[in-house]
């Protein structure tokens, strides 16, 4: 199995790229839905609810679907030549990718320590990786 673990800065750059992508796409889709709600006579409250659902759901679906796909990577990870695997080096399921995504919330809530762990753990795992049983590897 490839044990060429992707390091902190490479993963940080991939996350930065993915953050830009998800923000732009989320803003466009939220604008379109907000416009449609406004045109149909809906109020600000309905628009806020739909915007919240889009803002929560779209990034989750993006990360979980991409990381559980055959590419095993988001667009940012593909750009930097890294992929997400199980501990055994296998492709992960959508459920495991979802657990990893929601684990990032915990990694962030504890003063980002869950992300900083990547720089100091033997297998370059963040708390969310450990919780989901995942590795992030450089592609061969």
């Amino acid at each position: 199995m490839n044990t060429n673990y992707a390091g902190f800065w490479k993963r940080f750059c991939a996350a930065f790229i993915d953050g830009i992508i998800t923000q732009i796409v989320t803003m466009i889709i939220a604008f379109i839905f907000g416009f449609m709600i406004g045109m149909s006579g809906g109020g600000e409250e309905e628009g806020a609810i739909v915007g919240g659902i889009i803002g929560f759901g779209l990034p989750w679906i993006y990360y979980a679907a991409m990381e559980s796909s055959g590419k095993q990577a988001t667009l940012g990870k593909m750009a930097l030549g890294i992929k997400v695997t199980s501990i055994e080096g296998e492709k992960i399921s959508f459920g495991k990718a979802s657990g990893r995504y929601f684990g990032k919330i915990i990694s962030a809530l504890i003063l980002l320590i869950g992300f900083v762990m990547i720089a100091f753990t033997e297998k370059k795992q963040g708390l969310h990786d450990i919780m989901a049983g995942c590795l992030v590897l450089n592609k061969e």
Side-chain angles (χ1 to χ4, degrees):
M1 181 178 81
N2 177 3
T3 56
N4 189 4
Y5 307 112
F8 177 84
W9 289 111
K10 198 170 198 181
R11 292 178 63 175
F12 177 85
C13 291
F16 186 79
I17 293 167
D18 288 326
I20 291 170
I21 291 167
T22 57
Q23 283 296 318
I24 290 170
V25 172
T26 299
M27 286 174 24
I28 291 168
I29 292 174
F31 174 79
I32 291 168
F33 275 90
F35 182 78
M36 290 176 9
I37 289 168
M39 294 301 291
S40 68
E44 285 184 36
E45 189 173 306
E46 290 88 358
I49 291 169
V50 170
I53 292 169
I54 292 168
F56 174 80
L58 194 86
W60 162 49
I61 297 297
Y62 168 77
Y63 281 95
M66 296 289 289
E67 291 176 353
S68 65
S69 74
K71 296 284 186 185
Q72 296 176 266
T74 59
L75 296 174
K77 287 179 181 71
M78 283 186 235
L80 280 118
I82 59 180
K83 65 181 181 177
V84 179
T85 72
S86 69
I87 293 294
E88 296 79 25
E90 303 294 323
K91 184 172 91 66
I92 62 172
S93 67
F94 184 84
K96 186 172 275 225
S98 294
R100 184 174 182 274
Y101 176 79
F102 292 114
K104 289 178 186 179
I105 296 170
I106 296 169
S107 288
L109 285 175
I110 55 172
L111 305 175
L112 303 177
I113 292 171
F115 294 109
V116 174
M117 288 172 59
I118 295 166
F120 300 101
T121 58
E122 181 183 348
K123 295 179 181 180
K124 306 294 183 195
Q125 290 175 292
L127 179 60
H128 51 285
D129 297 316
I130 294 167
M131 290 169 52
C134 293
L135 298 172
V136 181
L137 306 175
N138 290 303
K139 289 185 179 178
E140 297 175 344

